[in-house]
Amino acid sequence: AQELSQEIKAFLTGVDPVLGHQLSAREHARCGLLLLRSLPPARAAVLDHLRGVFDESVRAHLAALDESPVAGPPHLRPPPPSHVPAGGPGLEDVVQEVQQVLSEFIRANPKAWAPVISAWSIDLMGQLSSTYSGQHQRVPHATGSLNELLQLWMGCRATRTLMDIYVQCLSALIGSCPDACVDALLDTSVQHSPHFDWVVAHIGSSFPGTIISRVLSCGLKDFCVHSGAGGGAGGSGGDSSQTPSTDPFPGSPAIPGEKRVPKIASVVGILGHLASRHGDSIRRELLRMFHDSLAGGAGGRSGDPSLQATVPFLLQLAVMSPALLGTVSGELVDCLKPPAVLSQLQQHLQGFPREELDNMLNLAVHLVSQASGAGAYRLLQFLVDTAMPASVITTQGLAVPDTVREACDRLIQLLLLHLQKLGGEGPAALGARFGESASAHLSDLAPLLLHPEEEVAEASASLLAICPFPPEALSPSQLLGLVRAGVHRFFASLRLHGPPGVASASQLLTRLSQTSPAGLKAVLQLLVEGALHQGNTELFGGEVDGDNETLSQEVMYNTQSLLSLLVHCCSAPGGTECVGCWGAPTLSPEAAKAVAVTLVESVCPDAAGAELAWPPEEHARATVERDLRIGRRFREQPLLFELLKLVAAAPPALCYCSVLLRGLLAALLGHWEASRHPDTAHSPWHLEASCTLVAVMAEGSLLPPALGNMHEVFSQLAPFEVRLLLLSVWGFLREHGPLPQKFIFQSERGRFIRDFSREGGGEGGAHLAVLHSVLHRNIDRLGLFSGRFQAPSPSNLLRQGT
């Protein structure tokens, strides 16, 4: 024990504990080997120290080559000087001793030592290959000749020893479980390729059968862990796919090379090296994996992860490596031709999620389009024969289930579209030519938008979206029918597929809005009516059976999709455009007016066509029931506020919503008058509604800027103060009614504006006095806001466009 203690001290300090001198590299390494024999827990530390020994030996070997006066391939270079040993100055014997000690461990207990030592040796070869690549003039570039690189490193005693050690480990485990050695090979190949390719080439040539089968097996296991395709549900992490540890020293730290990173690129690289000489073995192994996965039964989320991931894994390999695709393409038809195989494949794939099936189908289309030669013709002929109806097929024994036939038919259709793109004619050009032919049958296609089968209805929307609409093609009744069907398709797609699914319907309605003014009005009217319909309320965050749904992200996306479509229609050619303007699109006031009129008719039909002028505040007592109904409708359907904002963006369209604005303002005044809370925080909806209402009226130029900014302080006020400010708004609107004739067109901006300075007291006048009084009362909290409520000069009013 005392001698062992001295050896540990010497190894850790690098100093002889008896003589006190610094240990030489040879002595230090031998001290480590002694500990490796006598003290197993020191394994990790000793192996890490031996990395430096091999590194120094490689460095000396390359330095000796650099001293050689003749350049050229390693086999043509003269031997190193006689005073320098082949493995490095003074370290050749140490390298040999390391090999002897490790070989003894492997022979004595291969199950425990071979995985550890193989991972150490293969990782060290990768590290050395990467470290010295390009640093010495005698080391060929990794992208150059692989044979030259192999000869160089196999001529170095240190790297040849590491190779021999790894080969011994693999040979010791080849009959039981070589996966640990192959897994380390894949890990290192991922980290150090292409500098590590010479190791892959040598080991693959030495053990072609084992390397091919085990590399594919380890790659498949790794694919299950990382890809989530098929095998993703089979385990929760990298450790779940590992076998129980056989490490006799579980307390020792892990050595490098055991990192978990995706290995499929390394699998492709290794098999690519072997494909030229061992293509037959690779093909047999790939086909064996395919048939084994089918024999395992149905795939999907409930099966064996490795079996259910095999088909996606093989497809991914073929996509990443044309060489591997070429090895199997010649026999692919013979492999699939037996009807039982296709039936097994259909049963195997039926449990996969739709998204994964679509991904695999896209990969298959890509692979078929890349096939060439006689194999490509046979494959295409096989797909066509299989997709044809059973009564037409003449080949004996090719009876397949309808699901298989439909799958082949879909594959052929997608392949044709893919080849069309590769041929140079894009989908837009193809759609335009097809649309011209279909435009003659618009009356027949329109009813298909209402078809009960979703695929038919969506296909009809996609087709009609690219059809040209000549003025003479549609009568007014046909146009209205097509708009109704298109609006129905929009909301049906939004309900079933969300915002991504409304692209075709949106494009169709946008194009219909451009056909004529009547088409624009019909599209806007039916869209707004449909959005406010009871059956679509929940799509936009409205109440359903008295429950107000939370404004979720889905609701926001739905609302944005609808507003985006309305903006596109209101900005369609024929509306007011601002030449040279940038930013938000200029909306047509006439189109926005159509939205405003529809809002009034939908929310309060009995007030449609009411007078736009604002009545005195006392007049609200006669319309209490109507005002409460309007306020309730705004609370039930938050979308109304968003539609008001859209209308306000195109002055003077908001004037036509006067009756809605009056009703909502009266309802809010009643609430704040009845409130007995000390602040507005107890009425969050009424506070937000009050702020939004004032902001919308300011945006629509119904209020001057000074009054329109008052909503910024509502959250800081008491309910009675908010009521006083809203009363001042009512008073201003009564004196300066929201009438369209008060707006003038400003050609520079391409829109209508309102010059309040010309109306006499239009900047706010006495109505600002109430606001200033409230500010003075709360000067300690609202003093900083006072600058926001000063009436601008007349010259600024016209320039700002209010």
Side-chain angles (χ1 to χ4, degrees):
Q2 183 177 1
E3 292 180 0
L4 185 59
S5 176
Q6 289 181 346
E7 292 295 335
I8 294 174
K9 184 177 180 180
F11 178 76
L12 294 176
T13 62
V15 177
D16 190 314
V18 178
L19 303 178
H21 64 77
Q22 193 76 21
L23 295 177
S24 65
R26 179 189 295 104
E27 293 170 340
H28 203 165
R30 286 173 175 165
C31 178
L33 290 176
L34 178 61
L35 292 179
L36 195 60
R37 294 175 184 268
S38 309
L39 190 65
R43 175 188 62 177
V46 173
L47 290 177
D48 188 63
H49 174 77
L50 294 178
R51 285 173 172 266
V53 174
F54 280 82
D55 180 76
E56 184 60 35
S57 180
V58 171
R59 189 194 311 273
H61 176 77
L62 295 177
L65 290 180
D66 287 343
E67 293 179 6
S68 174
V70 179
H75 64 282
L76 298 179
R77 298 170 187 162
S82 58
H83 64 281
V84 180
L91 295 179
E92 181 185 30
D93 51 347
V94 175
V95 170
Q96 185 175 0
E97 290 180 26
V98 171
Q99 182 179 10
Q100 293 174 352
V101 171
L102 297 182
S103 296
E104 292 174 5
F105 288 151
I106 297 169
R107 286 194 296 269
N109 191 353
K111 189 175 182 181
W113 280 100
V116 176
I117 296 176
S118 65
W120 171 80
S121 61
I122 204 74
D123 181 73
L124 183 52
M125 278 191 283
Q127 181 180 340
L128 293 173
S129 301
S130 295
T131 299
Y132 292 101
S133 177
Q135 292 191 9
H136 289 265
Q137 60 179 346
R138 298 304 176 86
V139 180
H141 196 275
T143 58
S145 172
L146 188 62
N147 289 332
E148 186 177 348
L149 200 62
L150 180 62
Q151 292 177 17
L152 170 73
W153 288 119
M154 293 302 288
C156 174
R157 177 58 185 269
T159 49
R160 187 175 68 251
T161 298
L162 291 172
M163 181 68 77
D164 292 341
I165 292 173
Y166 178 83
V167 169
Q168 183 182 0
C169 293
L170 184 57
S171 301
L173 296 179
I174 202 169
S176 56
C177 183
D179 282 10
C181 297
V182 176
D183 206 44
L185 178 68
L186 288 172
D187 276 323
T188 309
S189 180
V190 169
Q191 298 175 43
H192 297 289
S193 181
H195 312 295
F196 187 72
D197 290 352
W198 69 274
V199 178
V200 172
H202 180 78
I203 296 175
S205 299
S206 302
F207 303 91
T210 300
I211 291 298
I212 291 171
S213 62
R214 304 322 300 174
V215 159
L216 284 171
S217 175
C218 293
L220 177 59
K221 292 179 182 178
D222 183 78
F223 185 79
C224 293
V225 173
H226 286 91
S227 70
S236 58
D239 295 336
S240 63
S241 63
Q242 303 299 311
T243 56
S245 174
T246 57
D247 189 355
F249 319 113
S252 59
I255 65 173
E258 297 178 343
K259 308 180 209 39
R260 299 292 302 174
V261 292
K263 301 184 179 71
I264 190 166
S266 182
V267 172
V268 170
I270 291 174
L271 296 180
H273 282 306
L274 302 176
S276 59
R277 295 187 179 181
H278 305 283
D280 291 341
S281 299
I282 295 175
R283 178 173 60 255
R284 286 194 298 269
E285 188 62 27
L286 291 174
L287 294 178
R288 182 197 64 78
M289 291 179 65
F290 173 70
H291 287 294
D292 287 351
S293 69
L294 300 187
R301 294 302 186 191
S302 59
D304 181 359
S306 62
L307 294 180
Q308 68 189 26
T310 298
V311 173
F313 174 68
L314 294 178
L315 286 172
Q316 192 63 44
L317 283 179
V319 168
M320 296 176 65
S321 174
L324 295 182
L325 176 61
T327 60
V328 298
S329 60
E331 296 186 11
L332 189 57
V333 172
D334 295 333
C335 171
L336 296 174
K337 208 165 189 179
V341 174
L342 288 177
S343 299
Q344 287 178 331
L345 180 60
Q346 185 268 334
Q347 295 173 4
H348 179 75
L349 297 178
Q350 66 183 0
F352 282 77
R354 179 73 180 187
E355 182 180 359
E356 293 182 17
L357 290 174
D358 289 342
N359 289 337
M360 286 188 281
L361 183 60
N362 290 333
L363 289 179
V365 170
H366 175 76
L367 292 174
V368 174
S369 67
Q370 298 299 313
S372 60
Y377 175 79
R378 292 188 63 207
L379 181 58
L380 290 174
Q381 187 65 52
F382 171 76
L383 291 174
V384 171
D385 290 343
T386 308
M388 292 173 65
S391 59
V392 180
I393 296 178
T394 57
T395 305
Q396 296 295 325
L398 202 56
V400 293
D402 290 339
T403 52
V404 175
R405 196 179 319 284
E406 293 169 0
C408 289
D409 180 67
R410 186 182 177 195
L411 178 60
I412 291 175
Q413 294 181 27
L414 292 176
L415 178 62
L416 291 174
L417 290 176
H418 184 69
L419 294 176
Q420 186 74 33
K421 295 177 183 179
L422 295 179
E425 186 177 34
L430 179 64
R433 291 200 294 113
F434 191 71
E436 291 176 2
S437 302
S439 61
H441 305 280
L442 291 179
S443 58
D444 297 324
L445 292 173
L448 295 179
L449 292 170
L450 306 176
H451 198 280
E453 293 186 18
E454 175 62 20
E455 292 185 356
V456 175
E458 180 59 26
S460 301
S462 301
L463 178 58
L464 287 170
I466 61 175
C467 284
F469 296 118
E472 67 280 0
L474 293 173
S475 65
S477 59
Q478 289 176 327
L479 175 61
L480 182 59
L482 188 55
V483 171
R484 288 186 181 279
V487 170
H488 178 274
R489 174 92 292 257
F490 174 83
F491 289 109
S493 298
L494 192 62
R495 181 178 299 278
L496 292 174
H497 309 297
V502 300
S504 298
S506 297
Q507 184 179 356
L508 170 60
L509 292 173
T510 301
R511 297 185 63 247
L512 287 173
S513 70
Q514 299 171 5
T515 56
S516 65
L520 172 61
K521 183 178 179 180
V523 169
L524 295 175
Q525 179 180 349
L526 293 176
L527 276 175
V528 173
E529 289 178 353
L532 300 178
H533 188 270
Q534 185 68 25
N536 296 321
T537 297
E538 74 279 7
L539 291 175
F540 307 102
E543 290 186 3
V544 180
D545 298 330
D547 294 329
N548 197 351
E549 297 183 349
T550 304
L551 189 61
S552 64
Q553 188 177 35
E554 180 181 354
V555 168
M556 289 188 291
Y557 285 159
N558 291 344
T559 303
Q560 185 59 40
S561 297
L562 174 65
L563 294 177
S564 177
L565 175 56
L566 289 173
V567 168
H568 277 88
C569 293
C570 292
S571 306
T576 303
E577 297 291 338
C578 177
V579 179
C581 291
W582 58 275
T586 301
L587 304 185
S588 165
E590 285 300 319
K593 176 184 175 181
V595 176
V597 171
T598 305
L599 278 176
V600 174
E601 293 175 349
S602 299
V603 176
C604 192
D606 57 329
E611 187 178 357
L612 301 184
W614 208 276
E617 194 266 338
E618 296 80 11
H619 181 269
R621 299 173 185 173
T623 58
V624 172
E625 184 179 352
R626 187 182 74 184
D627 296 340
L628 291 176
R629 188 166 65 250
I630 291 174
R632 190 182 308 113
R633 189 70 179 272
F634 271 87
R635 186 162 189 169
E636 293 172 350
Q637 294 185 312
L639 178 64
L640 287 171
F641 285 106
E642 301 301 324
L643 294 174
L644 280 182
K645 293 177 184 178
L646 184 145
V647 172
L654 192 62
C655 297
Y656 299 95
C657 289
S658 178
V659 65
L660 297 183
L661 301 177
R662 288 200 307 266
L664 179 58
L665 182 55
L668 292 173
L669 282 169
H671 170 80
W672 293 123
E673 182 179 15
S675 176
R676 297 295 180 265
H677 293 294
D679 53 49
T680 56
H682 291 82
S683 303
W685 182 87
H686 293 85
L687 174 60
E688 183 180 1
S690 300
C691 293
T692 304
L693 176 61
V694 174
V696 165
M697 289 193 291
E699 173 68 18
S701 299
L702 303 190
L703 294 177
L707 284 176
N709 293 335
M710 68 166 58
H711 64 89
E712 298 175 6
V713 299
F714 281 179
S715 61
Q716 306 293 324
L717 302 179
F720 79 93
E721 293 173 319
V722 175
R723 178 177 176 274
L724 288 176
L725 296 183
L726 292 181
L727 278 175
S728 68
V729 170
W730 187 290
F732 177 88
L733 291 172
R734 182 173 59 84
E735 296 180 8
H736 305 274
L739 303 176
Q741 54 265 35
K742 294 186 178 183
F743 290 77
I744 60 174
F745 184 73
Q746 190 180 54
S747 57
E748 305 88 64
R749 303 189 62 183
R751 60 177 293 174
F752 287 88
I753 66 168
R754 183 176 179 182
D755 186 358
F756 288 97
S757 65
R758 298 183 178 182
E759 298 184 19
E763 300 92 335
H767 305 286
L768 280 175
V770 179
L771 177 57
H772 292 155
S773 175
V774 171
L775 289 175
H776 188 269
R777 174 184 173 86
N778 301 278
I779 193 67
D780 56 327
R781 293 180 293 110
L782 304 180
L784 294 177
F785 288 91
S786 59
R788 298 281 292 160
F789 309 111
Q790 302 298 323
S793 63
S795 60
N796 286 337
L797 273 174
L798 187 59
R799 184 166 58 252
Q800 293 173 0
T802 60

